[in-house]
Every structure is written in C-alpha cells, then in structure tokens.
Amino acid sequence: MSNLLLIIPLLLLLSTSAPPSLGLAHQSTSISAFRQCLQNHNHSDAVLYLPTNSSFLPVLNAYIHNKRFIGPATAKPLAIVTPTHESHVQATVLCAKANNLQIRTRSGGHDYEGLSYRSPSPFILLDLNNLRRIELDVETETAWVEAGATLGELYYAIANKTNTLAFPAGVCPSIGVGGHFAGGGYGNLLRKYGLSVDNVLDARVVDARGEILNRSTMGDLFWAIRGGGGASFGVILSWKVKLVRVPEVVTAFQVDRWLDQGASDIFYRSVEKSEFTMPQVVTTPENKTKVMISFVGEYLGRTKDLVSYLSRSFPELGFREVDGKEMSWVETVLFWAMIPVNKPLEVLLNRKSEPSYFKSKSDYVTEIIPREALPGIWDALLKVGPCFTQWNPYGGRMAEIDTDEAAYAHRAGYLFKVQYYVWWVEDGEEAEARHVGALDALHEAVTPYVTKEPREAYLNYRDLENGVNSVEKPEWSKAKVYGEKYFKGHFERLAKIKAEFDPENFFRDQQSIPPFPHSH
C-alpha cells in the first residue's frame, strides 16, 4: 500500500597525484597569496575569516555537530570563506587551486566523519551557510534551493505556501541540503516518491575550472551528483527540485512493544512482508536489561483508514485508532524530529543543534534475517550502551526506479538500509575507544545477515572504517575499497566522470572518488 511509507526499523538503544604538503612558511605565503587572489576577483574581505580573527572559531564551530572534531586535536582550516554570492565560490575554487590549497565544502556540517570541515592537509573551509535562498513555485510544484539551506528551512518554505505539497528528504531539520541530496537523500516519503535525488530536476555546480554548470551543460555529471556525492566533483550551489503531493491530513504513529510482549515476532513479521516493511526502534530502559521495539510510521491518509489496513495486513501489531495522530505533513517533520507538534513551525528554522559525541555505521539487507538470529542481535545491542539502530524500509517506489537512473545504486531487491548509531557524553580518548569498540562489536554480530563482498554502506552515514585514502598521494586500489561499498558497480563510472570534470583531482578527501586511471 503506497500510502504507508515508513514504520522505521530503528534499533534505538538507550542502555591520481596531489601537490606536496605545505610547510608553515609556505602556508603563510600561500594564504597571503590566496587572500590577494580573492581581492583581485573583487571578493569582499567581509566573507573571509583568518585564525587571527576573533570570529574564526565561532564561525568554524557553529556548524560542527560531532564533538569528536571540535577539540584542539582536529586540524583547523587556514581560512574560512563564507560566500554570499556564487561568484565568491568561483573565486575560492580558482584561488585555492592556484595556491595548492585544498578546500572543504560545508553546507550543514552533518558529515558524520567531519570531512566537510577537516583535513589532514592545509585547506580552506568553504562554508555555504549564507547561500540558503529558497525560491518556491507552487504553480509548477518546483523549488530552487541553495545548498546552504537546511531541510527545516525547505519544509518551512513549503508549508508557508501550501499544505498539499511536500518534498522527500530526511527527518533532521538542521541538515544542509547540499550534501544530503548529493548522497541520495533518504526520507519518509521514499516508498511513495523515492529519494531526494529522484526528485531533482536541475542543479548548479562550480567545477574545478571555476565555471558554473547546470543540467544542460554538465552532461553525465548530473547523473553522478545524484547519489555519488558532490564533494568529489565540485561545489554544488543549488538544486531545482520537484515537489510532491500529499493529503491535507496524514497520520503519524508510534507503537512500543517489549520482547516479552512479542516484539521479536512483530519485528520478524515486518521484515518478512516485503510489501509492508516499517521503521522500528529497538531500545532499552536505563537499566539496560530489556529490549523494546518501537514501530514508528507515517501514513498518507486518515487514521481510520490506517486501522482498517493494518488490521487486515498486519494484525500482529495490534494497532488501534488511539495509536494514530492526525496532523499536516509538515507537522510530521516535528514528530519525526521528536519536537512537540504544537510548537510553532518557526522551530524548523533553527539551523543549529547541540553537538554530541557520536559514531555511526551502516548496512544494507537483501535477505530476511532468520527469526532464530534475532536474540543474538538483541544481546549484542544490550552491550553497546546508549545507541540506536534504525532499519529503514525499502520497496515501493524504490523497487520501481531503474538502478542506473542515478548514481545511487541500492534499489530493487533491498529490504532495509540499517544505521547503527552510538553516542556518549564523556570526554577523552578512552571513552571514545570504548563506545566505538562496542559499536564495532554490534556491527560484527550482524555480519552474517547483511550484504557481502562487498559489505555495502550508505554514503550519507559516512564511516572511515569503510576504507580511507591519502589526500596527498591517493591510490586507486584504496579508493575501490570504499568506492564499491558506497556505489557498487557505479564506482568506475563515477571515476570516469571524475576524470572528465576534475582530471587533476583538486576536489578530494579521505573518501573521495579519484579520476579513473588511464592504465585501466
């Protein structure tokens, strides 16, 4: 039933060549030359922050959401550029390239490994938070959204114009659209309308030559940035998206079940029925001795219709009318973000969130996990501490879209995308090692039941344990390790597009796509 979009499986548990590295003297010379270059391009100093500026650290830290990368151990940029116009982005690319400086591009700062704002080599941070205009056209049901806008700002702009249009994207309002869309853009409308990238009509991108390309001039690059990420190919300035239709009233719900209330059986039935997979949350109370699964969902229609459907198709859930909450689509955004739905919608405009220590991993599931395997997974979960695993259902529209339609490669045949997410409050390396180690153990426990050779992963849940490359001397063999996990058979095509648009590999990081080597 296409209107039933998600009841997320969450397991929520509270219990190529490159220039050489620059020495300090060369860094000083290069940054002076970089600054002069910007001025020569009529680039205002008002958008440039140097470490000597009192605003440098506040600007840097404003959009860092992972506390692992806030401290002094994390290398800081040589300068921060906060463009207010597209030409500022062009100048930054040209001037950084001319002075052998890398750039990192940050839209919302939610990159799980912080690759959008940190690097082991001298770099310039290009922070797009001032490029966040949204131009909405209700008549054509389209919108142009600049890369620095957040999902919350996009949802707010839509809701201010209409209550019958929406956009398929994620549930965290402070996520920047630039990276979210480029990596795929999973959201709660997926089973009805696909990913964010499946609803992208056009884009504007600054390439390695400093030129602005759009769909008509970028050719295969348009395919690449829809699921292949943007940071390997250029700087995405804005996206043109197709809005989707939703009813005025939708239903959101959460049904909690403990294991001794049959939660495992309900979980198994939900994954067994490929036509009805649901988001779920597995959690424990503070004593960390019990597991609870929360079946959380969104239905494009009235509660009474959902009750009728679930009573026929999924009676094991025991869903009652009182379990559903009718609201507008934009209010479901608050529901999923765990914000009271009676809050003013202006809360969606809050671009920042309180940083925390966290680490995430991901998997894809293509075969039903055996019922007898579930107790072992729950036991592994209990040992982790504060964490969750989120089982995002596929099927529906995702199974209909051709695998080669865009760079995002995980389509038909996939039951779930799984996220494992652990967080902690203690400072220090020991605490990080302990929590990350427990997460790794959980990830290992699930190994027999997920994709293999390679074990696939979701780009937007960045994980450096999937493999890393040198930013100074990147190697094709190392790139293939993480490239095939994130992009499957699309990796080589992405590398060939990279070779066409950035043959010198200017846009790179520890998990970027290098140019396809000539020897292959």
Side-chain angles (χ1 to χ4, degrees):
M1 187 175 187
S2 59
N3 281 357
L4 184 59
L5 304 177
L6 301 180
I7 315 173
I8 301 179
L10 290 167
L11 286 171
L12 196 88
L13 175 24
L14 301 175
S15 59
T16 320
S17 63
S21 180
L22 300 175
L24 291 178
H26 285 116
Q27 288 181 28
S28 178
T29 301
S30 293
I31 200 64
S32 296
F34 173 78
R35 183 175 182 176
Q36 183 60 52
C37 179
L38 292 183
Q39 292 175 343
N40 292 343
H41 281 83
N42 296 317
H43 189 306
S44 170
D45 250 5
V47 296
L48 177 67
Y49 298 87
L50 300 176
T52 53
N53 189 300
S54 61
S55 298
F56 179 85
L57 282 179
V59 170
L60 173 63
N61 293 336
Y63 295 102
I64 294 181
H65 301 278
N66 195 334
K67 288 180 70 175
R68 294 167 60 205
F69 311 124
I70 289 181
T74 299
K76 305 297 187 287
L78 300 179
I80 303 172
V81 180
T82 57
T84 58
H85 189 272
E86 291 180 343
S87 64
H88 298 163
V89 177
Q90 295 174 279
T92 301
V93 169
L94 291 172
C95 293
K97 190 174 182 181
N99 289 282
N100 282 342
L101 294 169
Q102 294 183 23
I103 67 169
R104 292 290 181 271
T105 303
R106 181 170 73 177
S107 53
H110 278 270
D111 185 299
Y112 280 6
E113 295 283 8
L115 300 191
S116 65
Y117 53 81
R118 69 185 184 105
S119 172
S121 298
F123 72 104
I124 304 297
L125 173 59
L126 181 60
D127 191 314
L128 302 181
N129 76 88
N130 287 328
L131 293 179
R132 57 178 190 257
R133 289 175 299 177
I134 298 171
E135 297 177 3
L136 197 73
D137 189 330
V138 174
E139 185 174 337
T140 61
E141 300 180 357
T142 61
W144 272 103
V145 190
E146 288 191 318
T150 64
L151 296 181
E153 289 169 338
L154 174 59
Y155 298 154
Y156 180 83
I158 296 171
N160 258 355
K161 295 280 190 178
T162 172
N163 60 0
T164 58
L165 292 176
F167 188 73
V171 300
C172 180
S174 60
I175 289 176
V177 305
H180 181 69
F181 292 179
Y186 180 96
N188 291 345
L189 296 174
L190 169 138
R191 290 174 61 81
K192 179 76 171 180
Y193 291 114
L195 300 165
S196 298
V197 292
D198 299 322
N199 297 277
V200 166
L201 302 173
D202 203 344
R204 290 174 62 80
V205 181
V206 175
D207 69 7
R209 301 167 299 176
E211 296 183 3
I212 296 178
L213 307 177
N214 59 26
R215 181 172 182 174
S216 65
T217 58
M218 72 174 76
D220 279 351
L221 184 58
F222 185 68
W223 177 89
I225 61 174
R226 290 180 296 136
S232 295
F233 302 100
V235 179
I236 296 174
L237 297 169
S238 56
W239 300 93
K240 184 180 183 181
V241 299
K242 177 66 176 175
L243 306 181
V244 300
R245 297 180 182 182
V246 292
E248 293 185 5
V249 177
V250 303
T251 300
F253 62 92
Q254 177 173 332
V255 178
D256 299 332
R257 294 288 184 266
W258 296 99
L259 291 187
D260 58 11
Q261 295 175 316
S264 269
D265 289 337
I266 301 173
F267 180 90
Y268 181 77
R269 290 292 290 157
S270 73
V271 298
E272 185 182 41
K273 299 180 177 184
S274 60
E275 80 281 3
F276 186 74
T277 50
M278 309 190 304
Q280 301 143 29
V281 181
V282 178
T283 182
T284 66
E286 291 184 2
N287 62 16
K288 302 179 179 66
T289 60
K290 295 176 66 178
V291 170
M292 180 179 74
I293 303 179
S294 297
F295 298 83
V296 192
E298 178 179 317
Y299 176 75
L300 296 183
R302 295 276 185 175
T303 304
K304 61 181 178 61
D305 297 324
L306 178 59
V307 172
S308 176
Y309 172 65
L310 290 180
S311 64
R312 298 191 312 272
S313 304
F314 202 62
E316 298 89 347
L317 186 61
F319 185 81
R320 306 163 300 165
E321 190 163 352
V322 69
D323 295 321
K325 296 179 174 60
E326 293 187 345
M327 58 189 73
S328 65
W329 172 80
V330 74
E331 288 174 325
T332 69
V333 176
L334 304 182
F335 170 83
W336 286 100
M338 293 183 285
I339 299 170
V341 296
N342 59 356
K343 286 274 190 180
L345 290 182
E346 281 71 21
V347 70
L348 295 174
L349 302 179
N350 183 4
R351 295 178 55 84
K352 301 177 183 179
S353 61
E354 190 65 28
S356 61
Y357 294 108
F358 67 87
K359 170 70 177 180
S360 178
K361 305 183 79 66
S362 63
D363 268 318
Y364 285 93
V365 178
T366 56
E367 297 180 1
I368 297 170
I369 298 175
R371 187 192 301 264
E372 58 270 20
L374 295 181
I377 296 175
W378 306 156
D379 288 344
L381 185 66
L382 285 167
K383 296 175 183 176
V384 177
C387 80
F388 70 79
T389 75
Q390 184 179 41
W391 300 65
N392 299 126
Y394 274 46
R397 180 66 181 139
M398 282 295 286
E400 300 168 356
I401 299 173
D402 190 278
T403 302
D404 294 329
E405 177 67 23
Y408 186 87
H410 304 92
R411 299 287 189 175
Y414 288 84
L415 299 178
F416 290 106
K417 171 175 59 65
V418 187
Q419 177 179 195
Y420 316 88
Y421 185 103
V422 61
W423 70 92
W424 61 96
V425 296
E426 312 98 308
D427 297 326
E429 294 181 0
E430 187 280 330
E432 178 171 331
R434 175 162 39 88
H435 287 282
V436 172
L439 180 67
D440 288 341
L442 171 62
H443 193 243
E444 180 65 25
V446 184
T447 301
Y449 316 112
V450 299
T451 55
K452 301 171 180 64
E453 297 181 356
R455 185 171 184 171
E456 299 163 24
Y458 180 39
L459 180 65
N460 277 356
Y461 297 157
R462 179 87 69 179
D463 177 13
L464 292 184
E465 292 181 48
N466 286 324
V468 295
N469 220 335
S470 167
V471 295
E472 298 298 343
K473 295 182 179 180
E475 299 175 34
W476 175 254
S477 60
K478 291 182 177 179
K480 285 185 68 176
V481 173
Y482 56 81
E484 292 179 351
K485 291 178 181 179
Y486 289 134
F487 311 117
K488 297 179 58 184
H490 288 169
F491 174 63
E492 285 200 2
R493 180 177 174 184
L494 287 166
K496 290 174 181 176
I497 295 171
K498 167 76 169 182
E500 178 184 355
F501 286 89
D502 184 17
E504 296 177 0
N505 201 22
F506 172 67
F507 294 106
R508 65 188 187 278
D509 58 43
Q510 295 95 310
Q511 282 194 343
S512 59
I513 300 167
F516 190 75
H518 294 297
S519 59
H520 281 247

